[in-house]
Amino acid sequence: MRAALLGTSVLAAGALLSGPARALAPDALLARLDPQNAISFAFVAGSLVFALTTAFVYRIEQRRSAEREAGLRAELAELRAAADRAETVIGAESQLVVSWDGRDAEPRIEGDPNALGPAAAGKRLLAFGAWLAPADAGALDGALTRLRERGEAFRLTLRAQRDRFVEAQGRALGGRAILRLRDVTGDRLELLQARETLVRQGDDLKNLRALLEGMSQPVWLRDGEGRIAWANPAWLAAVEALSLEDARARGLELLDRGAREDAATARAARDRFAARTTAIVAGARRTLDVAETPSPGGFVGIAVDVTDLEEVRADLQRQMQAHVRTLDHLPNAVAIFDSSQHLVFHNSAYRALWGLDRGFLESGPSEGEILDRLRAERRLPEQADWRRWKADVLASYRAIEPQETWWHLPDGRTLHVVANPNPQGGLTWLFDDVSEHLSLESRYNSLMRVQGETLDALEEGVAVFGSDGRLKLANRAFRALWRLPQPAPGEEPHLESMIAACRGLAPDEDAWAAIRAAVAGDAEGRTELALRLARRDGLHLDCAVQPLPDGATLIAFVDVTASVNVERALIEKNEALEVAARLREDFVHHVSYELRSPLTTIIGFAQLLGDETVGGLNDRQREYAGLIMRSSGALLAIINDILDLASIDTGSLELDPEEVDIRETIDAAVRGIDDRIAENKLSLVIDAPGGIGGFIADAKRVRQVLFNLLSNAVGFSETGQTVRLSARKTAGEVVFEVADQGRGIPPEVVERVFDRFESHTLGTRHRGVGLGLSIVRAFVELHGGRVSLTSNPGSGTTVTCVFPADGPQRLAAE
């Protein structure tokens, strides 16, 4: 601009001075200028001065702007360096920093996202109750509120989950509220844990001391030399001492000389001392159970007053002896067993009843031994399940009320047996032989009871009608099935009244007519009958009518509702499965023609764009074309996997067996994963013997299996790790193994990794829909092979696939 102004001024001045005026002197020139030329000359001169002044000012301002821009750039670089240093400082330590610009501003979280564990990752960090102890979460929440509202700084040590400690520091800085959370580790963590353990043990010690001081039994503690180091108030009261110092000064002891010497001998040998002895306690002679046990600092002892117990035991013994003399003269057999089920008393009638030897009984055998001996001598009732019957007999020891039962012995005698629990534990058995009075009645009642109990135990409803058409017998299941009341004693309802009562639930006239003819018809009509009744309440009953030899008729009803419902459910399920199969076939058809075909077209056009056959692309367009190719290829692989699984389920997938070169198949699978191996900077080791040869299989499916295994291993591997693919050919089998050095799989996830749509990233960058391993197992098993997976967290994962060497036809042959 300045050059243009100068040029214009010079040209104007040159025009005025052109011609003859150039040779004139200045004075002469001014004299020849007329007023018009003077004005022009003045204008040109003023323009020239203005242009020069403007150019000079512009140059000064340009220099100042350049200096200001350089200063701003230097300040920006310094700020960026400061920001980088701040991020380095924050990231150098396992911590998280949360900042707020105002009360209602969104928090900004910076630092290591895994510093406090997965429970505090991301936005869950501010949900303190999810990863802190409840009390600490409330304290941190309150301190943070005061910081944001009033700017009060704080510093807390908090307890997180899994016995971890977190240091929280809050402060206001530059109008912002800053919260720093740091996981406490190293010596400080050990100090905090030790302090917590010390506090907890101190509380336990205080509680134990309070408990011992509140006990009514004397408790004491001796040092390593046997001197009293501590005693509770009960011990001081027992020895009548004012304090522990008073007891030491006077040499007071609770035990007498003999017990003290025995205790001293046990202490010298560092053994436990226990004895029952007498001692003077608060001026009275008492019987004590004394125990003194070695402890880390000396010996701890306790004395329990059992004087009252001894007196009660002696009185009880006297009463027992009186009862024994009385019971020994009773005609009924009596046997008393203690709480351990051992015989402590028996009278002469008991020995005579069972014919047992006096020496055997006086040896105190257990009741189980007595029962086994009586059974061996065939003196007890015969039992189909002896162990269960014996257990039922011995269960009387756990009963609260007396139990009565009848024992029918093999020799024809009948015993009325009473098991009466003793107050001090154990049982008193009373055996009364009532054979002479109840022999005939017992046999008749037993027969009727066995018959009735047998019928009542049946789940089927059973009824017997006599030749006169009246109900002679019906079990509980029959009455409950038809909701009939219990008949009065001697009442025998007629068949017609029974049918009328049952018709309300099952109004099938033809069925009841057939039952009526079978029960009350002529001799030719009384034949076996089987039919099914459908009741109003949804129950289905199978009815069986069976004529009996004495002219009676037995009718049995069986509830088959569950079977009918299962049959109906199976029919409905089969229909649903057929519909699902048709839907699945339709789904496969639509996916094949409605998704895969357009996707193939997209891939083709994207490839044309990427190859630049239709025109050149810039870098961004070329990147976008590559993304389209990779995403379309991944989507096509997912669709192909779904189609393969659907084809396997429908049984339409057929293998194309051929001679498969193992090494070529491995190389083909590796080529498909080369870019990912290079991108992740992984090492691939192929372990296959030279000349390993081949086997009979579907080459395409084997390559797909190896590709999926390698893709899965690469996805779960970290940068710099190694993926190993090995192949071995043994007798009749070809074994492929793919191993990685990733994080491994937890045991609870291993069981589900082969399920469809089970995707577990386990914190890695691997992503997928969970079909890779499902496809692997499906193809291997379709060949007649097997798949196994071994993994431990932190030690990587190994997947082993075993193919039959002679082809998929081996499975069909088996």
Side-chain angles (χ1 to χ4, degrees), residues 727-751:
R728 293 291 184 272
K729 188 173 182 182
T730 60
E733 291 182 340
V734 177
V735 181
F736 294 98
E737 283 188 359
V738 177
D740 62 64
Q741 298 175 339
R743 297 189 178 185
I745 304 176
E748 65 273 9
V749 179
V750 170
E751 300 178 357

mmCIF file of all heavy atoms in Angstrom, residues 727-751:
data_model
loop_
_atom_site.group_PDB
_atom_site.id
_atom_site.type_symbol
_atom_site.label_atom_id
_atom_site.label_comp_id
_atom_site.label_asym_id
_atom_site.label_seq_id
_atom_site.Cartn_x
_atom_site.Cartn_y
_atom_site.Cartn_z
ATOM 1 N N ALA A 727 0.167 -77.622 15.631
ATOM 2 C CA ALA A 727 -0.584 -78.692 14.966
ATOM 3 C C ALA A 727 0.183 -79.992 15.138
ATOM 4 O O ALA A 727 1.406 -80.032 14.988
ATOM 5 C CB ALA A 727 -0.788 -78.368 13.494
ATOM 6 N N ARG A 728 -0.556 -81.043 15.497
ATOM 7 C CA ARG A 728 0.032 -82.371 15.663
ATOM 8 C C ARG A 728 -0.896 -83.398 15.010
ATOM 9 O O ARG A 728 -2.124 -83.262 15.044
ATOM 10 C CB ARG A 728 0.204 -82.717 17.153
ATOM 11 C CG ARG A 728 1.218 -81.865 17.882
ATOM 12 C CD ARG A 728 2.638 -82.158 17.425
ATOM 13 N NE ARG A 728 3.623 -81.406 18.191
ATOM 14 C CZ ARG A 728 4.039 -80.190 17.892
ATOM 15 N NH1 ARG A 728 3.542 -79.586 16.799
ATOM 16 N NH2 ARG A 728 4.936 -79.575 18.635
ATOM 17 N N LYS A 729 -0.293 -84.400 14.454
ATOM 18 C CA LYS A 729 -1.048 -85.472 13.834
ATOM 19 C C LYS A 729 -0.691 -86.772 14.528
ATOM 20 O O LYS A 729 0.461 -87.215 14.481
ATOM 21 C CB LYS A 729 -0.739 -85.550 12.341
ATOM 22 C CG LYS A 729 -1.632 -86.528 11.589
ATOM 23 C CD LYS A 729 -1.388 -86.441 10.091
ATOM 24 C CE LYS A 729 -2.316 -87.392 9.323
ATOM 25 N NZ LYS A 729 -2.053 -87.348 7.857
ATOM 26 N N THR A 730 -1.666 -87.345 15.227
ATOM 27 C CA THR A 730 -1.459 -88.599 15.938
ATOM 28 C C THR A 730 -2.261 -89.694 15.243
ATOM 29 O O THR A 730 -2.863 -89.475 14.182
ATOM 30 C CB THR A 730 -1.900 -88.458 17.401
ATOM 31 O OG1 THR A 730 -3.285 -88.125 17.439
ATOM 32 C CG2 THR A 730 -1.120 -87.339 18.090
ATOM 33 N N ALA A 731 -2.276 -90.848 15.864
ATOM 34 C CA ALA A 731 -2.958 -91.979 15.266
ATOM 35 C C ALA A 731 -4.463 -91.705 15.194
ATOM 36 O O ALA A 731 -5.157 -91.718 16.211
ATOM 37 C CB ALA A 731 -2.695 -93.243 16.074
ATOM 38 N N GLY A 732 -4.932 -91.433 13.978
ATOM 39 C CA GLY A 732 -6.369 -91.263 13.777
ATOM 40 C C GLY A 732 -6.901 -89.894 14.120
ATOM 41 O O GLY A 732 -8.101 -89.650 13.964
ATOM 42 N N GLU A 733 -6.052 -88.930 14.540
ATOM 43 C CA GLU A 733 -6.555 -87.621 14.938
ATOM 44 C C GLU A 733 -5.559 -86.533 14.515
ATOM 45 O O GLU A 733 -4.353 -86.778 14.430
ATOM 46 C CB GLU A 733 -6.764 -87.539 16.448
ATOM 47 C CG GLU A 733 -7.902 -88.399 16.960
ATOM 48 C CD GLU A 733 -8.100 -88.263 18.454
ATOM 49 O OE1 GLU A 733 -7.135 -87.821 19.134
ATOM 50 O OE2 GLU A 733 -9.185 -88.572 18.938
ATOM 51 N N VAL A 734 -6.117 -85.345 14.255
ATOM 52 C CA VAL A 734 -5.322 -84.144 13.992
ATOM 53 C C VAL A 734 -5.692 -83.125 15.067
ATOM 54 O O VAL A 734 -6.873 -82.810 15.257
ATOM 55 C CB VAL A 734 -5.600 -83.574 12.592
ATOM 56 C CG1 VAL A 734 -4.814 -82.273 12.375
ATOM 57 C CG2 VAL A 734 -5.233 -84.597 11.524
ATOM 58 N N VAL A 735 -4.674 -82.619 15.778
ATOM 59 C CA VAL A 735 -4.897 -81.756 16.927
ATOM 60 C C VAL A 735 -4.330 -80.375 16.615
ATOM 61 O O VAL A 735 -3.157 -80.245 16.250
ATOM 62 C CB VAL A 735 -4.240 -82.319 18.205
ATOM 63 C CG1 VAL A 735 -4.522 -81.403 19.395
ATOM 64 C CG2 VAL A 735 -4.748 -83.732 18.478
ATOM 65 N N PHE A 736 -5.191 -79.338 16.757
ATOM 66 C CA PHE A 736 -4.774 -77.941 16.637
ATOM 67 C C PHE A 736 -4.906 -77.289 18.014
ATOM 68 O O PHE A 736 -5.918 -77.487 18.699
ATOM 69 C CB PHE A 736 -5.653 -77.174 15.640
ATOM 70 C CG PHE A 736 -5.524 -77.648 14.222
ATOM 71 C CD1 PHE A 736 -6.439 -78.530 13.681
ATOM 72 C CD2 PHE A 736 -4.477 -77.210 13.426
ATOM 73 C CE1 PHE A 736 -6.329 -78.969 12.374
ATOM 74 C CE2 PHE A 736 -4.353 -77.651 12.110
ATOM 75 C CZ PHE A 736 -5.276 -78.533 11.576
ATOM 76 N N GLU A 737 -3.896 -76.508 18.381
ATOM 77 C CA GLU A 737 -3.926 -75.762 19.649
ATOM 78 C C GLU A 737 -3.568 -74.312 19.372
ATOM 79 O O GLU A 737 -2.585 -74.033 18.678
ATOM 80 C CB GLU A 737 -2.932 -76.334 20.654
ATOM 81 C CG GLU A 737 -3.390 -77.620 21.314
ATOM 82 C CD GLU A 737 -2.477 -78.041 22.441
ATOM 83 O OE1 GLU A 737 -1.466 -77.326 22.678
ATOM 84 O OE2 GLU A 737 -2.753 -79.060 23.069
ATOM 85 N N VAL A 738 -4.387 -73.401 19.909
ATOM 86 C CA VAL A 738 -4.119 -71.964 19.818
ATOM 87 C C VAL A 738 -4.039 -71.438 21.241
ATOM 88 O O VAL A 738 -4.994 -71.555 22.009
ATOM 89 C CB VAL A 738 -5.217 -71.228 19.024
ATOM 90 C CG1 VAL A 738 -4.938 -69.731 19.021
ATOM 91 C CG2 VAL A 738 -5.277 -71.758 17.593
ATOM 92 N N ALA A 739 -2.882 -70.875 21.594
ATOM 93 C CA ALA A 739 -2.651 -70.401 22.965
ATOM 94 C C ALA A 739 -2.256 -68.934 22.925
ATOM 95 O O ALA A 739 -1.522 -68.495 22.038
ATOM 96 C CB ALA A 739 -1.557 -71.224 23.651
ATOM 97 N N ASP A 740 -2.765 -68.167 23.880
ATOM 98 C CA ASP A 740 -2.376 -66.765 24.021
ATOM 99 C C ASP A 740 -1.852 -66.528 25.428
ATOM 100 O O ASP A 740 -1.925 -67.402 26.293
ATOM 101 C CB ASP A 740 -3.557 -65.833 23.709
ATOM 102 C CG ASP A 740 -4.721 -66.033 24.648
ATOM 103 O OD1 ASP A 740 -4.558 -65.770 25.853
ATOM 104 O OD2 ASP A 740 -5.798 -66.456 24.195
ATOM 105 N N GLN A 741 -1.308 -65.345 25.657
ATOM 106 C CA GLN A 741 -0.755 -64.967 26.960
ATOM 107 C C GLN A 741 -1.575 -63.852 27.590
ATOM 108 O O GLN A 741 -1.060 -63.042 28.342
ATOM 109 C CB GLN A 741 0.706 -64.507 26.793
ATOM 110 C CG GLN A 741 1.624 -65.586 26.267
ATOM 111 C CD GLN A 741 3.028 -65.072 25.991
ATOM 112 O OE1 GLN A 741 3.238 -63.876 25.821
ATOM 113 N NE2 GLN A 741 3.990 -65.975 25.943
ATOM 114 N N GLY A 742 -2.865 -63.803 27.258
ATOM 115 C CA GLY A 742 -3.728 -62.735 27.746
ATOM 116 C C GLY A 742 -4.086 -62.889 29.215
ATOM 117 O O GLY A 742 -3.435 -63.618 29.974
ATOM 118 N N ARG A 743 -5.157 -62.230 29.587
ATOM 119 C CA ARG A 743 -5.548 -62.198 31.004
ATOM 120 C C ARG A 743 -6.152 -63.508 31.496
ATOM 121 O O ARG A 743 -6.290 -63.716 32.687
ATOM 122 C CB ARG A 743 -6.579 -61.089 31.237
ATOM 123 C CG ARG A 743 -6.043 -59.688 30.952
ATOM 124 C CD ARG A 743 -7.006 -58.629 31.409
ATOM 125 N NE ARG A 743 -6.489 -57.290 31.188
ATOM 126 C CZ ARG A 743 -7.086 -56.187 31.578
ATOM 127 N NH1 ARG A 743 -8.233 -56.254 32.226
ATOM 128 N NH2 ARG A 743 -6.570 -54.995 31.345
ATOM 129 N N GLY A 744 -6.535 -64.393 30.571
ATOM 130 C CA GLY A 744 -7.171 -65.623 30.992
ATOM 131 C C GLY A 744 -8.660 -65.416 31.243
ATOM 132 O O GLY A 744 -9.192 -64.300 31.200
ATOM 133 N N ILE A 745 -9.331 -66.516 31.514
ATOM 134 C CA ILE A 745 -10.785 -66.498 31.695
ATOM 135 C C ILE A 745 -11.106 -67.038 33.077
ATOM 136 O O ILE A 745 -10.629 -68.103 33.464
ATOM 137 C CB ILE A 745 -11.474 -67.357 30.621
ATOM 138 C CG1 ILE A 745 -11.066 -66.865 29.222
ATOM 139 C CG2 ILE A 745 -12.981 -67.310 30.773
ATOM 140 C CD1 ILE A 745 -11.606 -67.709 28.097
ATOM 141 N N PRO A 746 -11.935 -66.328 33.861
ATOM 142 C CA PRO A 746 -12.326 -66.845 35.180
ATOM 143 C C PRO A 746 -13.085 -68.167 35.051
ATOM 144 O O PRO A 746 -13.743 -68.420 34.029
ATOM 145 C CB PRO A 746 -13.222 -65.724 35.736
ATOM 146 C CG PRO A 746 -12.855 -64.502 34.953
ATOM 147 C CD PRO A 746 -12.471 -64.986 33.592
ATOM 148 N N PRO A 747 -13.032 -69.018 36.093
ATOM 149 C CA PRO A 747 -13.708 -70.325 36.012
ATOM 150 C C PRO A 747 -15.200 -70.199 35.753
ATOM 151 O O PRO A 747 -15.785 -71.034 35.050
ATOM 152 C CB PRO A 747 -13.404 -70.959 37.380
ATOM 153 C CG PRO A 747 -12.172 -70.276 37.850
ATOM 154 C CD PRO A 747 -12.244 -68.880 37.320
ATOM 155 N N GLU A 748 -15.856 -69.168 36.323
ATOM 156 C CA GLU A 748 -17.299 -69.064 36.129
ATOM 157 C C GLU A 748 -17.666 -68.656 34.708
ATOM 158 O O GLU A 748 -18.826 -68.814 34.287
ATOM 159 C CB GLU A 748 -17.907 -68.061 37.124
ATOM 160 C CG GLU A 748 -17.445 -66.612 36.918
ATOM 161 C CD GLU A 748 -16.142 -66.305 37.656
ATOM 162 O OE1 GLU A 748 -15.520 -67.272 38.172
ATOM 163 O OE2 GLU A 748 -15.751 -65.133 37.713
ATOM 164 N N VAL A 749 -16.702 -68.115 33.942
ATOM 165 C CA VAL A 749 -16.976 -67.708 32.559
ATOM 166 C C VAL A 749 -16.624 -68.825 31.585
ATOM 167 O O VAL A 749 -17.193 -68.916 30.494
ATOM 168 C CB VAL A 749 -16.195 -66.416 32.232
ATOM 169 C CG1 VAL A 749 -16.431 -65.988 30.789
ATOM 170 C CG2 VAL A 749 -16.620 -65.297 33.173
ATOM 171 N N VAL A 750 -15.668 -69.719 31.960
ATOM 172 C CA VAL A 750 -15.220 -70.788 31.063
ATOM 173 C C VAL A 750 -16.389 -71.652 30.615
ATOM 174 O O VAL A 750 -16.475 -72.074 29.452
ATOM 175 C CB VAL A 750 -14.133 -71.646 31.760
ATOM 176 C CG1 VAL A 750 -13.832 -72.888 30.941
ATOM 177 C CG2 VAL A 750 -12.877 -70.826 31.948
ATOM 178 N N GLU A 751 -17.342 -71.907 31.529
ATOM 179 C CA GLU A 751 -18.451 -72.795 31.204
ATOM 180 C C GLU A 751 -19.383 -72.196 30.160
ATOM 181 O O GLU A 751 -20.171 -72.915 29.557
ATOM 182 C CB GLU A 751 -19.239 -73.124 32.480
ATOM 183 C CG GLU A 751 -18.392 -73.811 33.545
ATOM 184 C CD GLU A 751 -19.196 -74.060 34.801
ATOM 185 O OE1 GLU A 751 -20.367 -73.643 34.844
ATOM 186 O OE2 GLU A 751 -18.652 -74.674 35.736
#
